[in-house]
Amino acid sequence: MTSSDFDSLIRSYGKWLSDNTTYTQLDEWYEVNVPLLDEDNDYTQFYVKPGKNSVTFSDDCATSRRLESHGMTVTESRLAVLKDILNQFGIERNGDELTLTSDTADFADAKNRFLQAIIKVGDMSMLANPMCRRFCR
C-alpha cells in the first residue's frame, strides 16, 4: 500500500463521519447526532450554540440521565473519576449538564474533546452497582 493509498483511507473516515452526522436547528441551538455509539448503542447526541466568536456545546444533562438509568449513583469516589475525565477534556459541569465553550476557530478540536468526554463519562455506567459486582468479583 502506498502512502497515497493510506492517505485515502484516512480521508475516507472523515467523509464517513461527515456523511453520517446530522443536525437540526432548534432556535439558537443545533441538535447534532454523530455515528459514535453511546453506552445504549445509540448515536451520540449533543447541542451546539454558535456565537459571534465562540461556540458552546451542551449534553443537555443526557449523559447524567443515562448513567442514572443504568443504576449508577454518584458517590464521592465516582465524582472524583468524573471530575478527572472532565478536567482531561476541559469540560465544565453545571449541575448535571456538561458544557464546553470555545473559540469558533477551534470548533473541530472542541467538538472532538466534547465527544470524547461524553462518551468516556458514559462509560462510567460500568461502575453501576450490578455491573461493578459482575466485574469486580
Side-chain angles (χ1 to χ4, degrees):
M1 176 177 284
T2 68
S3 180
S4 177
D5 292 335
F6 189 72
D7 186 59
S8 226
L9 288 176
I10 296 296
R11 291 183 187 281
S12 72
Y13 173 73
K15 181 174 177 5
W16 170 84
L17 185 61
S18 178
D19 289 349
N20 289 282
T21 297
T22 61
Y23 63 89
T24 304
Q25 188 169 2
L26 309 168
D27 295 321
E28 306 178 299
W29 289 86
Y30 288 84
E31 178 185 271
V32 181
N33 290 280
V34 295
L36 304 174
L37 301 179
D38 64 19
E39 62 277 11
D40 290 327
N41 214 31
D42 294 325
Y43 278 11
T44 301
Q45 182 179 74
F46 60 97
Y47 299 87
V48 179
K49 181 180 178 183
K52 183 175 178 168
N53 296 312
S54 67
V55 61
T56 300
F57 297 84
S58 170
D59 76 335
D60 195 32
C61 304
T63 308
S64 292
R65 277 183 261 151
R66 277 193 311 276
L67 289 174
E68 288 173 11
S69 76
H70 284 264
M72 194 190 98
T73 56
V74 179
T75 62
E76 190 174 317
S77 59
R78 290 175 181 159
L79 183 58
V81 171
L82 175 61
K83 287 179 179 179
D84 284 346
I85 293 169
L86 299 180
N87 286 338
Q88 177 184 3
F89 295 104
I91 308 301
E92 298 289 326
R93 181 171 173 251
N94 304 305
D96 286 339
E97 181 183 23
L98 304 181
T99 63
L100 171 65
T101 299
S102 177
D103 292 341
T104 304
D106 298 326
F107 176 82
D109 176 65
K111 175 186 170 193
N112 186 55
R113 288 186 294 122
F114 193 73
L115 280 168
Q116 287 186 73
I118 60 177
I119 290 169
K120 195 167 185 177
V121 169
D123 287 345
M124 289 180 65
S125 65
M126 296 298 286
L127 299 175
N129 290 338
M131 293 299 288
C132 197
R133 278 195 292 271
R134 194 168 120 201
F135 292 109
C136 300
R137 293 182 191 180

